[in-house]
Amino acid sequence: MDHAPHPEQPSDGPTDGPAGGLTAAQRSAYLDRIGLPDPGAPSPHALARLQLAHLRTVPFENLDIHLGERIILDPAALLAKVVTRRRGGFCYELNGAFAQLLTSLGYRVGLLAARVFDGERLGPPFDHLALRVDLDEPWLVDVGFGRFSHHPLRLAERGEQADAEGAFTLTPTGAHGDLDVLRDGTPQYRLGPRPYELADFAPTCWWQATSPDSHFTRSTTCTLLTADGGRITLGGNRLITTTPAGGRTERHLADDEALTAYRTRFGITLDRLPGLPG
């Protein structure tokens, strides 16, 4: 794999970050949320530190859907949920919020739409939100896909990119500049090159949160990357812990134990379990 910067810059790259700039206090609070000091000037190294810290502290979760809470794709609402309420979210929320932090730190960020693979079948347009970050070359940044790369991926690289989560490959497909993103040879999602506004994702976000055909409405999930590179997941009342070496433990929790696990393992305090009447 060639790690040298790529001089060519795609003509459709973003020129402005997404709306919703942060104040100095908001930026400081967000960095405190993910346990990082000010990372300094934008750089590939600083970007990698920010992504890994986010993955280790902000869970991928769909609990609001099962608590009867509305998902609001508004920059202020995302910031309040992730930073003030110290919650997680799914792709639109996590990458939408992270884009605000990156923009406030001086990064050039674009919101990219993707269609997620379910086997060989592709999901609908705007099925997933990922980020393009432009430095000396374009990078794919994603803190909202659950199990995915721990570090940014080079968007212009066509060879394998080694990561703690596997070998990632970005393969051109079709005539419109789309890329299939593969992990260990398995397609994860098809990424489009065009940047969008956060509001463009709202219709599909609503479908994901309300349709019986969406897998997000069928069950609860809350998952977080651990400091050792493993993962802890609470799905319903099943607590699953995995290790980088492939170890796995699974335990069924009583309702009160599940509430405790949300608080102690994920930092989420709930007054009732998702899916139960309020």
Side-chain angles (χ1 to χ4, degrees):
M1 170 181 160
D2 178 12
H3 288 274
H6 294 266
E8 68 275 14
Q9 290 294 325
S11 60
D12 56 1
T15 58
D16 296 298
L22 306 186
T23 66
Q26 289 172 326
R27 181 170 59 250
S28 178
Y30 205 137
L31 290 171
D32 179 70
R33 169 75 172 98
I34 62 175
L36 275 187
D38 191 321
S43 70
H45 176 70
L47 180 62
R49 288 182 63 219
L50 286 158
Q51 176 170 324
L52 185 60
H54 208 284
L55 290 169
R56 287 175 171 173
T57 53
V58 184
F60 178 91
E61 49 105 337
N62 67 341
L63 305 183
D64 274 356
I65 294 172
H66 299 270
L67 290 167
E69 300 291 338
R70 181 182 167 207
I71 306 296
I72 302 174
L73 287 193
D74 170 80
L78 298 184
L79 193 68
K81 182 174 181 180
V82 171
V83 178
T84 307
R85 295 167 53 202
R86 305 186 78 83
R87 286 283 305 278
F90 59 172
C91 68
Y92 311 107
E93 301 171 285
L94 298 182
N95 283 321
F98 194 40
Q100 294 183 71
L101 175 63
L102 293 178
T103 300
S104 77
L105 291 168
Y107 291 89
R108 295 175 61 235
V109 184
L111 310 184
L112 302 184
R115 301 175 68 186
V116 178
F117 280 94
D118 182 5
E120 295 183 356
R121 181 181 177 186
L122 277 170
F126 298 95
D127 196 21
H128 180 61
L129 188 163
L131 304 178
R132 169 178 169 151
V133 178
D134 282 281
L135 291 164
D136 57 338
E137 60 178 301
W139 297 84
L140 171 61
V141 172
D142 197 337
V143 297
F145 198 67
R147 186 183 176 193
F148 197 68
S149 66
H150 296 186
H151 297 96
L153 300 173
R154 286 181 157 90
L155 267 171
E157 173 62 54
R158 297 297 171 256
E160 282 193 352
Q161 301 187 54
D163 183 85
E165 201 60 69
F168 288 82
T169 310
L170 280 63
T171 304
T173 183
H176 304 291
D178 291 353
L179 296 172
D180 280 352
V181 181
L182 294 82
R183 177 171 60 83
D184 294 332
T186 301
Q188 304 297 297
Y189 55 74
R190 180 164 294 172
L191 187 72
R194 174 187 169 186
Y196 288 93
E197 300 297 327
L198 185 62
D200 295 323
F201 294 85
T204 310
C205 176
W206 175 84
W207 181 89
Q208 296 280 22
T210 60
S211 172
D213 294 327
S214 166
H215 66 269
F216 288 111
T217 64
R218 298 174 186 173
S219 60
T220 60
T221 189
C222 185
T223 184
L224 191 66
L225 184 69
T226 56
D228 65 357
R231 182 167 291 278
I232 185 166
T233 302
L234 185 54
N237 284 52
R238 289 187 309 139
L239 184 67
I240 302 168
T241 304
T242 59
T243 69
R248 175 187 171 101
T249 60
E250 182 174 331
R251 187 162 70 93
H252 181 83
L253 305 181
D255 288 355
D256 60 335
E257 292 178 310
L259 285 172
T260 298
Y262 278 124
R263 185 179 69 253
T264 59
R265 302 297 188 98
F266 303 99
I268 295 175
T269 300
L270 302 175
D271 58 7
R272 60 185 171 91
L273 287 179
L276 296 181

